[in-house]
Amino acid sequence: MGTSVLSLRIDGELLDRLRDHAAKRGMSVQDYVVGTLIRDDFDERFQSAVEETERFYGVT
């Protein structure tokens, strides 16, 4: 299995929130995000967020 680079563009408010969450755990933002992505329940939580977004905005 190889590795890839993921680049994200996020607004300042979200980055500040990520920094706060990471700092509470003594982690860098990058480590916090990666840790969140590899959680066992990430797929279920992501699907739930997608479904909620689709209900809010309507499916396009």
Side-chain angles (χ1 to χ4, degrees), residues 33-48:
V33 170
V34 168
T36 301
L37 291 173
I38 61 173
R39 281 180 46 174
D40 289 338
D41 64 342
F42 175 77
D43 290 337
E44 293 85 16
R45 295 175 67 202
F46 182 75
Q47 184 60 42
S48 176

Side-chain angles (χ1 to χ4, degrees), residues 18-30:
L18 287 170
R19 283 183 180 134
D20 289 343
H21 286 286
K24 288 177 185 175
R25 292 159 181 79
M27 304 170 78
S28 69
V29 172
Q30 292 85 353

Side-chain angles (χ1 to χ4, degrees), residues 5-34:
V5 173
L6 173 64
S7 176
L8 299 173
R9 183 180 303 258
I10 58 176
D11 73 1
E13 185 178 320
L14 178 57
L15 181 56
D16 289 341
R17 289 174 51 202
L18 287 170
R19 283 183 180 134
D20 289 343
H21 286 286
K24 288 177 185 175
R25 292 159 181 79
M27 304 170 78
S28 69
V29 172
Q30 292 85 353
D31 288 342
Y32 177 76
V33 170
V34 168

